[in-house]
C-alpha cells in the first residue's frame, strides 16, 4: 500500500489546475467528466503521487472552520494532507517567492525535536502541510 | 516531494487506532498531546506513509454529506485520500474478510479502462478510496 492521491472539490478547475502547476510544480495528467454529478475532473501529477480535482456545479463554499488547523480539528473528518520536504525552510522560502503565504511558522511536532511542519492553504482555502521528517529525508 | 501523511480528526483515539491497525495493517508510531487544543494525537505508520489522528475534546460529528463521494463533492474542500493496491479485487476481498463494508462497487475511472477504484469508510465515516493504478503497479 502507498498513498497515491488525494481528492479535492474545488471552485474553479482551471484556476486550481494553474495554482497547483505554478506553485507546487504539478503537471497535468488527464481529465474526464462525470455527467451524473455535473462534474469535471482533472488528475494532476507530481512525481509518484497525484491530486484529483473535482469541479461540481453549484458546490458550496468550504466552511470557514476548515481553514485553520485548530478550528478544522473541531469537526470530525479528513483535515489536511502533508507533503514531505528535505529542508522545510528552503521549501517555505521557495513557495513564498512564488507568492504563497504560510499561516503558521515552522514548528516542531511537540513530541519530537526532529520533525517539523508548517501550514499553508491552496487557492481554495484547503489546508496543506509541509513536513520535514526526522533526519530531513524526503524520499 | 512526496505525500507522507494525512491528518484526521476522530471521535475516539483508541478506537480509531485499533481500527487502522486491525483493518489496514498500520502500526503505532508515536503519540503526543497538544494542551492548548485539548488534543491527543497519535501517528500510525504503514510502510513509508502515516496517518495522524487527532482527538479534540468536544469535536462535532462529521456532516452526513461528507460520507458519500457524490454528496461530499458538493462542498469545496479536501474530500478523500486514496491507497494504491496492485489488485483491487484481492484487496477488497481481504478487507471484507476483516468486516469492512464497501460503499461502491469496483469501477473504472471514466476516462480510463485501466484504472479502477472502490470506496469504503473508516470507523469515523471518513472516505477512503482503494485505487488500482494503470497496470496495477502499487509501488
Amino acid at each position: 500500500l502507498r498513498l497515491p492521491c488525494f481528492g479535492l472539490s474545488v471552485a474553479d478547475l482551471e484556476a486550481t489546475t494553474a495554482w497547483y502547476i505554478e506553485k507546487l510544480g504539478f503537471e497535468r495528467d488527464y481529465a474526464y467528466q462525470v455527467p451524473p454529478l455535473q462534474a469535471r475532473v482533472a488528475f494532476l501529477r507530481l512525481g509518484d503521487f497525484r491530486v484529483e480535482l473535482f469541479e461540481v456545479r453549484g458546490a458550496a463554499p468550504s466552511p470557514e472552520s476548515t481553514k485553520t488547523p485548530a478550528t478544522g480539528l473541531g469537526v470530525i473528518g479528513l483535515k489536511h494532507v502533508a507533503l514531505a520536504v528535505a529542508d522545510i525552510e528552503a521549501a517555505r522560502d521557495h513557495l513564498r517567492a512564488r507568492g504563497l503565504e504560510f499561516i503558521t511558522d515552522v514548528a516542531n511536532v511537540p513530541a519530537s525535536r526532529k520533525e517539523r511542519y508548517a501550514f499553508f492553504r491552496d487557492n481554495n482555502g484547503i489546508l496543506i502541510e509541509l513536513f520535514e521528517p526526522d533526519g530531513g529525508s524526503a524520499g
Side-chain angles (χ1 to χ4, degrees), chain A residues 14-133:
Chain A
E14 283 72 28
T16 303
T17 296
W19 192 93
Y20 276 84
I21 289 173
E22 290 169 13
K23 306 299 188 191
L24 298 185
F26 279 78
E27 298 177 351
R28 290 173 201 275
D29 193 344
Y30 68 86
Y32 64 96
Q33 301 199 8
V34 188
L37 298 182
Q38 295 192 294
R40 297 189 304 137
V41 190
F43 274 114
L44 308 180
R45 182 179 290 277
L46 180 65
D48 62 357
F49 74 91
R50 299 195 290 189
V51 57
E52 188 173 15
L53 306 178
F54 297 82
E55 182 193 293
V56 178
R57 187 173 297 185
S62 348
E64 283 302 309
S65 66
T66 65
K67 296 182 182 175
T68 75
T71 55
L73 292 171
V75 180
I76 289 167
L78 178 59
K79 301 288 116 179
H80 61 263
V81 294
L83 304 177
V85 295
D87 179 335
I88 195 166
E89 277 91 359
R92 177 199 58 192
D93 293 346
H94 176 80
L95 293 172
R96 279 184 174 163
R98 296 184 186 192
L100 198 147
E101 287 180 30
F102 278 76
I103 62 169
T104 71
D105 292 329
V106 172
N108 283 22
V109 175
S112 164
R113 307 191 79 79
K114 294 182 180 172
E115 299 198 316
R116 296 187 299 162
Y117 70 93
F119 278 93
F120 60 101
R121 300 187 191 102
D122 79 0
N123 65 312
N124 298 282
I126 294 167
L127 290 174
I128 304 177
E129 184 179 4
L130 284 186
F131 191 79
E132 184 186 291

